Amino acid sequence: MPGSLKYLLLCGILLLPLASRAQPRWHVESASITFTIKNAGLPVGGSFEGLEADLRFDPAQPERSTMVASIDASTVRTGIGLRDRHLRKRDYFDVERHPRIRMTCMRIEKAQDGVFRGRFRLQIKEFTQEVTMPFTFTFTAHGRGGRLVGDFTLNRLDFGLGEQSLILADVVTVRLAVDVKPAE
Amino acid sequence: MKHTLTLLFALPAALLLGLYLNHPTRPTAVEDVGPVPDIPRTWDSTAIATFMLPHADTSVTVRPLSEQEYYDLPERVIYKSYSLYAPEHMPAGYFDSLRQLEPEIVFDPATLETEEDWIRAGELIFDAPHNFTTIDSIAENVLFSTVAGDFWSQIDMPLTEEGVMPFWRLVVREKGTVEVGRFACGMCHTRVQDDGTLIKGAQGNYPFDRERALLAPMLLRAQQIPDLDQSVRRFEKLLFGAPWIDHPSQAWLDSLTVEQFVAALSAIPPGVMARHGAHPLHPVRIPDLRGVKDHRYLDATGLMRHRTIGDLMRYAAFNEDAELLTRYNDFIPRLGRHEGPLPPLDALGFDRFTDAQLYALARYLYALEPLPSPRRYDDAMLARGERVFIEDGCVTCHTPPLYTNNELTPVDGFIPPENHFERFDLFDISVETDPSLARYTRRATGYYKVPGLRGLWYRSPLLHDGSVTTLDELFDAQRLEEDFVPSGFKGASVEARAVPGHPFGLELSEEDKAALIAYLNTL
């Protein structure tokens, strides 16, 4: 084998782990998923729990990131028990047939330092729509953790969440605030 | 005596027009009516087939009268009627003056040209009784004498400021004969406020059941009926029997005694009623008819749909005798167990309104709007109350501008069949109120409808069974406790009980609660 070829092979062997190094994987430590909608002109809020996520994200190479997340639809809470029960029924989240809400990253781009823009496929019930979520990612705990905060809007009618209403707005604003730490 | 007994006991059941209504196809403009309106056929078999919700108990097949059977019923003639005064307010010689009058037929559709004509005529129908008892000496002594026990004061009969008892009317159908007319729509759907103001179409406060409790046994004994218990039992089964339902309330009817009858009916406050098809143990609050044109379902249990003005006419007809002739499997309330064709119904005392009369009645009811509230509060309090109304979720079911979403909520223990979600307007959450009326009576659908809140200021008692009488009580968390003493319907021999369900507004601060109540009182 020519020396140059050996050199290239050695570099390849040495660099291969770097080249094929996976995106940093993050473990969700805590998450706050909240939403707001206008009801009769006043904002009404709620939340979900039970975030499960496979987050592979490198702020330096966001375009190579993958994110797949889901939440337990039955955890919807608005502060009013009967309303929450109604939201779990077929008119809204139909949690019996669709227990989880899923969000899958299509592409993430960097807007500026610490600020990103992601396109996601959001699936609620049998409906899937593309949503765009600008978000920030901030390192915490001296770089040993991170915090992702983002907002996006959706039209609830696109997901079969209720019907047209004189008082309930169509647009819902969703906020994600997720604290992560590097996965082991 | 016989007539008096008939008056009070062996009657075709009460006419109760509990009406909630909303449909975009109703005629609203004068130009829609025209001189000869297109009057729907009341007992149209196609409409009747889809008019009623299925019974909550799927073991029963409900078959209303056929079109032929209904139209074979004799038609009513509407005579002019006159006010009935309380004895102490009766003008001297009043009855004698009425005996000098010629009978006067007051409804003639050929004379009606404008919408206003039809509405005025409809009010005559609203006021028109269809059960008559001659004022003879016995009736006068029992009913009108200030000496013989003064039964009106015993049951706290409301009187207008003129001293009129508006729930009955005096009728002259034959010169020289004055009759007490009962069971007009207005008997149940007229409210006399504390200041003597009359509100037609409002949640009526005629003490119907207390009157029955007081008079029926007295008259049975006077007639020397050998077995009073059996006589009471027979009639109450006519009104409330649902033999296919396996529930203690039906067994209660089978063993009913006069004492139990008196106790049960005495416990029902004005504004609530043991109407036919309901039950004395599960009475229903009388609805406010004002605004009925905007309500999509009729009856507290949403038993009938209100798609067109024809449906409102059907509802009136159903509650004007036709319900007692409805087949529930092999049970017909008026006849008991019965197979085969009906006997001649006119011989049983049944008759019906004409389609034109019902149309006029419906036009009148459509014209009744909730009255503006006279209550006054400062703007800040009302704004706060409105905010609470929204934030606490009230607005979801009681959606402006009607303050109802016109939907049905399933009661505890009832699971809506799959096809109900397509056929009916369901809000698929139980508000956890007592389910008995909606599950164990002839009017059971498995649902309660969401009532409108306009006109709340002149309504009481509240909730479908009239358990509470004030909004303060409705929003009192203590009412969920077993030792709570409801101010409305409690039940016979019940001192205290929980008033379950509708768990909204129970955790408000006193200031928020007061603001919410103020806001609701202005609707």
Side-chain angles (χ1 to χ4, degrees):
Chain A
M1 184 184 292
S4 58
L5 192 59
K6 281 185 188 172
Y7 176 76
L8 282 172
L9 185 60
L10 180 61
C11 286
I13 292 169
L14 289 174
L15 290 171
L16 185 61
L18 285 176
S20 65
R21 192 180 85 180
Q23 289 282 299
R25 198 169 174 199
W26 301 92
H27 166 76
V28 174
E29 278 211 299
S30 66
S32 163
I33 299 128
T34 57
F35 63 86
T36 311
I37 186 170
K38 280 210 171 164
N39 194 15
L42 292 184
V44 172
S47 65
F48 287 92
E49 293 173 4
L51 176 69
E52 294 175 359
D54 183 5
L55 302 173
R56 298 166 196 255
F57 176 69
D58 183 349
Q61 295 181 301
E63 64 281 357
R64 299 177 68 181
S65 301
T66 62
M67 293 185 186
V68 179
S70 70
I71 54 172
D72 182 349
S74 71
T75 63
V76 60
R77 295 283 185 276
T78 64
I80 297 174
L82 276 185
R83 179 163 64 192
D84 297 341
R85 278 171 43 200
H86 187 227
L87 290 173
R88 290 194 279 271
K89 294 272 191 165
R90 69 174 69 196
D91 287 349
Y92 285 86
F93 290 99
D94 196 3
V95 302
E96 242 183 61
R97 292 196 292 177
H98 305 282
R100 298 200 74 83
I101 297 169
R102 302 180 192 281
M103 198 157 161
T104 307
C105 167
M106 296 165 66
R107 183 166 177 80
I108 296 178
E109 295 168 343
K110 184 172 180 177
Q112 55 184 272
D113 276 350
V115 181
F116 304 88
R117 186 180 176 82
R119 282 168 46 218
F120 297 85
R121 261 193 296 271
L122 176 65
Q123 183 191 348
I124 303 176
K125 299 199 300 188
E126 66 267 36
F127 304 100
T128 302
Q129 295 279 329
E130 189 178 309
V131 297
T132 300
M133 182 177 75
F135 65 92
T136 61
F137 186 86
T138 313
F139 283 104
T140 60
H142 305 293
R144 291 194 294 275
R147 183 168 171 84
L148 184 155
V149 179
D151 300 279
F152 66 92
T153 60
L154 61 88
N155 186 321
R156 63 178 178 85
L157 298 179
D158 291 340
F159 295 93
L161 302 175
E163 294 178 344
Q164 277 194 317
S165 167
L166 288 175
I167 57 163
L168 187 64
D170 296 344
V171 175
V172 184
T173 303
V174 182
R175 163 160 282 218
L176 275 62
V178 185
D179 292 310
V180 296
K181 70 176 185 182
E184 297 297 325
Chain B
M1 174 64 76
K2 257 193 193 171
H3 288 158
T4 309
L5 190 64
T6 302
L7 166 73
L8 288 163
F9 217 56
L11 297 169
L15 163 67
L16 295 171
L17 292 180
L19 308 169
Y20 295 102
L21 141 74
N22 177 14
H23 202 272
T25 63
R26 67 187 186 280
T28 55
V30 171
E31 58 267 26
D32 291 337
V33 177
V36 183
D38 184 15
I39 298 175
R41 188 167 171 79
T42 301
W43 217 255
D44 172 85
S45 55
T46 305
I48 290 287
T50 56
F51 161 62
M52 289 177 65
L53 264 65
H55 198 276
D57 184 335
T58 54
S59 73
V60 65
T61 300
V62 180
R63 286 175 296 148
L65 286 172
S66 69
E67 203 165 327
Q68 184 68 54
E69 287 168 337
Y70 177 81
Y71 282 105
D72 281 347
L73 292 170
E75 296 180 348
R76 288 176 192 158
V77 176
I78 309 300
Y79 290 90
K80 186 172 180 179
S81 60
Y82 305 86
S83 294
L84 174 61
Y85 292 88
E88 64 272 24
H89 297 278
M90 192 91 66
Y94 185 59
F95 283 131
D96 287 337
S97 69
L98 293 177
R99 290 187 179 101
Q100 309 307 311
L101 299 176
E102 295 285 346
E104 191 178 335
I105 295 174
V106 292
F107 183 88
D108 178 2
T111 66
L112 306 178
E113 294 183 345
T114 65
E115 176 166 342
E116 287 75 20
D117 288 344
W118 280 95
I119 292 171
R120 270 195 297 273
E123 187 174 6
L124 294 174
I125 305 299
F126 182 84
D127 289 335
H130 68 92
N131 179 276
F132 306 96
T133 299
T134 306
I135 303 295
D136 56 21
S137 59
I138 294 172
E140 283 193 63
N141 283 339
V142 170
L143 300 173
F144 305 119
S145 169
T146 54
V147 175
D150 199 12
F151 97 98
W152 287 25
S153 66
Q154 287 185 57
I155 58 174
D156 200 17
M157 181 74 79
L159 301 176
T160 69
E161 49 198 346
E162 296 85 15
V164 170
M165 196 276 268
F167 312 108
W168 297 358
R169 302 283 293 170
L170 297 177
V171 184
V172 176
R173 296 193 297 166
E174 186 182 311
K175 184 173 180 179
T177 302
V178 177
E179 295 173 298
V180 168
R182 283 160 49 96
F183 295 103
C185 309
M187 187 179 84
C188 299
H189 296 286
T190 296
R191 187 174 189 85
V192 179
Q193 297 283 76
D194 291 341
D195 63 0
T197 309
L198 192 77
I199 306 179
K200 282 189 172 180
Q203 180 180 4
N205 55 352
Y206 170 54
F208 179 75
D209 291 303
R210 289 178 177 176
E211 178 210 274
R212 275 217 304 143
L214 181 67
L215 287 181
M218 182 198 309
L219 293 169
L220 282 174
R221 289 188 182 101
Q223 206 182 32
Q224 299 179 319
I225 301 288
D227 189 337
L228 296 183
D229 291 345
Q230 187 187 49
S231 192
V232 161
R233 216 173 286 145
R234 193 181 313 124
F235 191 67
E236 298 306 288
K237 280 185 175 183
L238 181 159
L239 294 179
F240 311 118
W244 64 92
I245 295 175
D246 181 17
H247 188 261
S249 60
Q250 289 299 314
W252 181 85
L253 289 173
D254 290 333
S255 59
L256 185 62
T257 65
V258 172
E259 287 70 34
Q260 289 170 325
F261 164 83
V262 170
L265 267 62
S266 298
I268 301 174
V272 185
M273 192 165 184
R275 74 180 309 197
H276 60 98
H279 197 284
L281 303 182
H282 314 304
V284 59
R285 61 99 180 87
I286 299 172
D288 182 5
L289 302 185
R290 292 186 163 263
V292 73
K293 68 176 169 44
D294 295 317
H295 294 150
R296 200 174 288 153
Y297 293 91
L298 310 175
D299 248 24
T301 59
L303 183 60
M304 276 132 200
R305 304 167 77 180
H306 186 191
R307 303 161 294 185
T308 64
I309 196 169
D311 279 345
L312 186 56
M313 294 162 61
R314 271 161 219 123
Y315 185 85
F318 183 80
N319 286 291
E320 270 283 294
D321 298 356
E323 194 273 328
L324 295 182
L325 298 171
T326 297
R327 292 169 174 86
Y328 299 89
N329 292 344
D330 63 349
F331 175 76
I332 299 176
R334 180 61 178 86
L335 303 174
R337 300 276 180 197
H338 185 86
E339 302 273 2
L342 296 175
L345 297 178
D346 56 342
L348 295 176
F350 286 92
D351 58 6
R352 64 173 176 86
F353 285 122
T354 67
D355 287 351
Q357 290 165 356
L358 287 172
Y359 180 77
L361 173 66
R363 298 298 307 185
Y364 170 68
L365 293 173
Y366 273 19
L368 293 181
E369 287 286 344
L371 296 176
S373 173
R375 310 283 177 92
R376 295 290 175 261
Y377 305 92
D378 68 67
D379 289 346
M381 190 174 200
L382 292 178
R384 183 173 183 168
E386 186 177 15
R387 178 177 55 75
V388 173
F389 185 79
I390 295 169
E391 289 180 345
D392 233 52
C394 315
V395 71
T396 303
C397 294
H398 299 289
T399 311
L402 302 177
Y403 293 87
T404 173
N405 58 8
N406 262 317
E407 294 183 349
L408 305 173
T409 63
V411 300
D412 285 351
F414 179 75
I415 298 171
E418 190 61 35
N419 64 0
H420 281 205
F421 290 94
E422 295 280 333
R423 294 170 64 190
F424 310 122
D425 306 282
L426 302 187
F427 189 84
D428 190 21
I429 282 293
S430 168
V431 293
E432 302 167 336
T433 51
D434 186 301
S436 304
L437 176 71
R439 292 193 64 195
Y440 306 121
T441 67
R442 292 206 298 258
R443 293 181 184 263
T445 59
Y447 304 104
Y448 290 128
K449 70 173 179 199
V450 177
L453 301 184
R454 293 187 303 161
L456 203 52
W457 67 271
Y458 56 82
R459 288 194 213 155
S460 183
L462 306 173
L463 296 179
H464 75 269
D465 59 359
S467 293
V468 301
T469 59
T470 67
L471 291 171
D472 277 284
E473 195 176 0
L474 181 67
F475 299 131
D476 181 358
Q478 289 302 308
R479 68 170 171 82
L480 300 179
E481 305 301 325
E482 289 300 327
D483 62 351
F484 184 74
V485 180
S487 66
F489 172 70
K490 284 200 294 279
S493 307
V494 174
E495 290 302 319
R497 67 167 176 86
V499 178
H502 197 271
F504 301 102
L506 301 181
E507 296 174 356
L508 296 173
S509 68
E510 289 305 311
E511 294 77 15
D512 276 350
K513 189 189 303 187
L516 175 62
I517 290 173
Y519 174 71
L520 293 173
N521 276 332
T522 61
L523 298 181

